[in-house]
Amino acid sequence: MSDLFDDPADSRPVQGVSRRTRIVIWAIIALLVILFALSTFAGVWTDHLWYSTLGYGSVFTKVFWVRVGLFFGFGVVMALALGVAMGVAFRTRPFLHPAQLESGLERYRDAVNPIRTWLLVGVALVAGAFAGISAATRWRTFELWAHGTPFGQKDPYFHKDIGFYVFDLPWLHMVVSFVLAASIVALLGNVLVHYLYGGIRLQSPGDRLSSPAQIQISVLLAVFVLAKAADYWLDRYDLTNSQSTLFTGIGFTDDHAVLPAKSTLAGIALICAVLFLVNIWRRTWLLPGVGVALMAISAVLLGLIWPAIVQTVQVNPSRLDKENSYQATNIAQTREAYAIDDAHVKVSDYTADATAGGAAQAKQLDTETSSAPIVDPLLVKDLFEEQQQGRAYYEVAPVLDVDRYTIDGKDRALVLAARELDQDNISASDKNWTNLHTVYTHGSGVIAAYANQRPLSDDKESVDIQWAQGNQADENDLVSAGPGKFEQRIYFGEESNSYSVVGRPAGAKAVELDLPTSSSTSSSTDSTSGASDEDDTRTTYDGKGGVPIGSTWRRLLYAVKFNSANFLLSERVNDNSQVLYNRTPRERVEKVAPWLTLDDDAYPVVANGRITWVLDGYTTTDRYPGSEKESFKTMTNDSLQQETNGLRPVPTDDINYMRNSVKATVDAYDGTVTLYAWDESDPILKTWAKVFPGTVLPKSAIPDWLTPHLRYPEDLFKVQRYQLAKYHVTDAGAFLNGSDWWDVPTDPNPVAGVTSTTLQPPYRLFLDDPEAASTNAEVWSLSTTFTPHDRNNLSAVMTVNSDATSDDYGKIDVLERPDQQTQGPRQVAANMRNDADVAEALLPYTRNNLLSYGSLLTIPTSSHGLVYLMPVYAKQASTSPYPVLAYVLASYNGNVGYGTTLQAALASALEGGSPSTPTPSGTPTAKPTTGPSASPSGSPTSPATGTATPKQLLAQAQELFTEADQAGRAGDYTKRETLLKQAEAKVAAAVEQMGG
């Protein structure tokens, strides 16, 4: 009969796939599998080679095998749970007549039966693979649980060690969540098989579940509900990190409604699990159904409705009273977690006021502000590159670094940057594999300028910056004690984003381009003529920072890794070749210490004959009980922040605990990574040190040459100031009112592309030590300001001792203005810009939109109030497109002054705001001033001090400063020092007259 319904056209024999076609298909599949396997193997094995070359092979091995163990551990359990549930369901299927089965299922059974074994195994393996992959990504959670170190402090709620919340609780949640998922997956698989083979008959008038089906489903449901009971119980501890509209931690509603509800629900779930197990023998769904209904209703009533009632009826009408004790706990926990408690922060009233004074006051102010940085690290990038680039394919970082160096026996603040390779600026015709990866391989040297010093030459070519290291510093390279005194080649830097193949056969010529210097930096450097510039210098890398690729096997692996056949075909790849990759300091530290959160700023240090990158590493968590939780990006974002942050161990970027636990270094030449413990008391650091033994050296191992260049990290300081803006208030009632909160002020001079709501960045400078005012001792500091909440006045100045050689390193001082009536940064900056004399002097630049304002510095002096300084940069439209320092603006006691030097600007402000310095050379004409004439010998002929006016004295001082600068450029330092002393005497005399 079926023939009657066949389509005649389909009765012809179906042409099968030819044997040749099948061979081709299987060959393609096999090739794809081989390529995938080779690519995977190449990735894993080259990672192993990289870690081993760097000396951190144990890190790779530990992480690899732990992830493999978690993958198979959780994957096998999930696969067994699903496979056993489905297999048992099939083996216990009822043997029924087809008429007794559910209609419509026969064709599905017929389709499944021939492949049921393969299908069961395949489904189980897929489920296991997903579970294993998920578990493998949580290797940090496992390691913290397995090696957790007690904090030695108990939480104020459940009186458990804080380590339980940081190390144990996340792992327990992971295990419970896995059991919940596995029981659900197994239940679904079991029910599906029972339904397909008649164990569950929804249309049957009698029993709808067979006895085996009822037993198996009851057991699986019991496991699920039992795991849910454990989940409810663990949720109680999560309340210590619950987020409310007021604070992080347990509040009144949590304590009196949510916490009892969680305990009750855990008990109900436990009873339900027992009822499901009883159902194995009672064979009735009545009691388990009642239990499940009770749990569902309780979850709604106790978990949602009752807490809402308590919050609305009891808490909201009297929130200050109800939440007071809980807020007090949050304050204490937050201050401890962020290290802003009384042990780390000293808050004191700052009552010194700016007043008109005499010569002594002026001299003291000049002394305390003389080291203030006027070179803005954000605005001088173009100037550094224009004057010190050397070649078009070199660049410096977008935001320069500030460090201190001992020069002529005195600590000096320097703005510096590494001269790094920028392959984007290589001409298009030269962009081929050979050039990009074997010729243009590295940067060269550092560029440094005094942060608080500028030349005062009338030379039209003056760039208004005093170099301390670079092409134009010549023999006066003070950072390195002369050129050629340190390894200048930078193979590992912030801009080293590509891989390079280095090394040459014995006797072959060097091919790597290097920046020519007056002194060879290495015996392997050859002076040869380049293809495009006869002054090119060629060099060869002879360090040990790369992976050797002399063998054909390794070349094949890296050809696959980097998708380039040139590793096998190019003559530049030889038996002595190494491949350098993962070359940025951040990448290298992240890989060898994958548990660290890294500071946004890696900075170069020139010491011990090397350039060394330094990064600050943090241990963070979002599980510290009762501490305020906030986004790391939100807390650290300001106008200098770059778009990278190293937050890795936390699933989101929310944190509520932070310690600067590690100082990491990366050698710029050979890429060596070294980790030094800094906060050795940190329990999280101790835990990771047990996970990766030997990878973190003790603090005592930090070399003496490095310690002076270690500093208080900016991201930690930003996080602390963000939290301290609120948590300087220690009274819970006052905190809840919010009237005493502070804000971090927005940047009064945001650069182009930065929103006006971006926070003002902190700044590094030398500040007067208030505890040693009589000796004029200075402290290398990091400083910022606060304003009252939603207001623009000044509330306080926050500084931290950033000198790692000092016993007071890390000590935070908050100088609070009791009346809070002092003008804040935005107000002061506006007054400076709107001052009539300043506006007139800057008018030529303003018309052409050539102005850029630098960071506003708020400097608290020991006894004479606050001094505000702000550099002004202007583009010289007629000579160069980059901004140079045009003026320094100063504000003191309500008076605004300006000048081409810091001293002149301050003197102008003390005088009452009249201009005191000539127009900067090489710039558009500004307000004209006059100065003394010069004698034939070149020294200024100044009138007697008693008859000269302050203006004349300052102009004479200007002339002396100019000559001193010229003497310094000529290498006559004796004359330079003599002229500087004469100039300072003129300034002092002018100040004395103004004070008199």
Side-chain angles (χ1 to χ4, degrees), residues 315-329:
V315 178
N316 290 346
S318 54
R319 175 169 292 186
L320 295 182
D321 295 330
K322 297 294 185 183
E323 301 284 18
N324 192 284
S325 62
Y326 303 101
Q327 180 65 74
T329 300

Side-chain angles (χ1 to χ4, degrees), residues 358-585:
Q361 177 196 14
K363 183 178 180 180
Q364 182 67 23
L365 287 175
D366 181 68
T367 299
E368 293 192 30
T369 60
S370 61
S371 60
I374 57 175
V375 176
D376 193 291
L378 181 62
L379 298 179
V380 294
K381 167 185 166 63
D382 292 340
L383 174 60
F384 268 53
E385 289 186 342
E386 180 72 20
Q387 295 295 317
Q388 300 283 346
Q389 192 174 21
R391 292 289 187 272
Y393 45 81
Y394 290 127
E395 67 171 347
V396 299
V399 180
L400 276 62
D401 296 294
V402 179
D403 198 1
R404 61 169 186 161
Y405 286 82
T406 301
I407 298 175
D408 294 334
K410 184 178 180 181
D411 276 350
R412 299 295 300 271
L414 300 181
V415 176
L416 71 163
R419 188 188 291 109
E420 297 198 58
L421 180 67
D422 179 16
Q423 292 190 343
D424 291 338
N425 285 333
I426 299 173
S427 62
S429 60
D430 290 336
K431 286 186 177 181
N432 53 62
W433 188 90
T434 299
N435 282 339
L436 292 177
H437 298 291
T438 69
V439 176
Y440 298 94
T441 58
H442 62 281
S444 181
V446 295
I447 310 166
Y450 291 99
N452 64 327
Q453 183 175 325
R454 62 176 294 181
L456 300 176
S457 174
D458 288 332
D459 180 6
K460 297 295 183 181
E461 300 300 323
S462 171
V463 296
D464 294 305
I465 196 167
Q466 183 69 52
W467 302 109
Q469 179 79 29
N471 293 339
Q472 299 176 10
D474 298 325
E475 69 272 18
N476 304 324
D477 283 352
L478 300 176
V479 173
S480 61
K485 301 299 183 181
F486 67 101
E487 176 56 74
Q488 299 197 53
R489 290 172 291 174
I490 300 175
Y491 284 86
F492 299 88
E494 291 182 290
E495 307 301 323
S496 304
N497 296 316
S498 181
Y499 67 88
S500 290
V501 177
V502 296
R504 58 173 169 169
K509 291 184 177 181
V511 297
E512 300 174 49
L513 278 177
D514 197 23
L515 183 68
T517 59
S518 58
S519 176
S520 174
T521 62
S522 172
S523 60
S524 63
T525 301
D526 300 330
S527 293
T528 62
S529 62
S532 59
D533 190 334
E534 62 180 9
D535 294 327
D536 281 343
T537 299
R538 304 280 175 160
T539 186
T540 297
Y541 179 77
D542 54 7
K544 303 298 182 183
V547 179
I549 52 172
S551 67
T552 303
W553 170 242
R554 289 193 176 185
R555 295 179 200 175
L556 173 62
L557 292 178
Y558 280 97
V560 173
K561 179 179 179 66
F562 292 114
N563 193 28
S564 174
N566 289 293
F567 281 89
L568 296 169
L569 303 177
S570 175
E571 294 181 355
R572 292 289 174 88
V573 183
N574 55 79
D575 292 342
N576 295 327
S577 291
Q578 301 178 50
V579 58
L580 311 178
Y581 62 105
N582 295 332
R583 295 169 65 185
T584 69

Side-chain angles (χ1 to χ4, degrees), residues 933-972:
S933 60
S935 65
S937 63
S939 60
T941 57
S942 57
T945 301
T947 60
T949 66
K951 275 189 179 182
Q952 292 172 324
L953 289 170
L954 290 172
Q956 294 165 18
Q958 172 86 6
E959 198 71 26
L960 290 168
F961 278 127
T962 300
E963 290 198 18
D965 172 65
Q966 293 173 342
R969 286 172 177 266
D972 190 346

Side-chain angles (χ1 to χ4, degrees), residues 6-215:
D6 288 340
D7 189 338
D10 293 336
S11 61
R12 292 172 297 179
V14 178
Q15 294 294 328
V17 179
S18 67
R19 183 172 179 273
R20 178 178 297 179
T21 303
R22 287 198 301 269
I23 292 175
V24 171
I25 293 174
W26 282 108
I28 292 174
I29 294 174
L31 180 61
L32 292 175
V33 170
I34 291 173
L35 290 177
F36 176 77
L38 180 60
S39 176
T40 302
F41 177 79
V44 173
W45 192 249
T46 54
D47 280 349
H48 168 68
L49 293 174
W50 185 88
Y51 277 94
S52 298
T53 301
L54 199 57
Y56 288 88
S58 60
V59 174
F60 174 85
T61 302
K62 183 64 176 286
V63 174
F64 178 79
W65 287 114
V66 168
R67 297 184 70 173
V68 168
L70 290 173
F71 175 85
F72 282 105
F74 282 81
V76 167
V77 171
M78 175 65 79
L80 286 176
L82 179 57
V84 169
M86 296 176 67
V88 170
F90 177 77
R91 288 184 175 275
T92 58
R93 67 193 185 281
F95 294 95
L96 302 174
H97 189 275
Q100 295 177 286
L101 298 175
E102 298 281 322
S103 61
L105 294 180
E106 185 176 357
R107 63 177 180 271
Y108 295 110
R109 286 193 299 274
D110 292 341
V112 167
N113 279 331
I115 59 169
R116 62 173 180 266
T117 300
W118 288 104
L119 185 62
L120 185 149
V121 172
V123 170
L125 289 178
V126 170
F130 278 108
I133 292 172
S134 176
T137 62
R138 303 288 300 276
W139 66 270
R140 294 183 183 87
T141 301
F142 169 78
E143 292 288 15
L144 289 174
W145 167 76
H147 300 88
T149 302
F151 272 67
Q153 298 171 266
K154 296 185 180 298
D155 79 282
Y157 309 108
F158 299 100
H159 306 292
K160 288 184 171 290
D161 188 272
I162 291 174
F164 168 77
Y165 299 92
V166 176
F167 305 130
D168 299 338
L169 189 57
W171 171 255
L172 295 176
H173 268 302
M174 176 181 169
V175 172
V176 169
S177 298
F178 173 76
V179 174
L180 285 170
S183 59
I184 286 294
V185 170
L187 178 63
L188 292 175
N190 183 269
V191 169
L192 180 62
V193 173
H194 275 301
Y195 181 66
L196 188 62
Y197 287 95
I200 298 176
R201 290 168 291 166
L202 301 179
Q203 300 174 3
S204 174
D207 292 337
R208 298 185 177 181
L209 274 72
S210 67
S211 178
Q214 182 163 331
I215 293 173

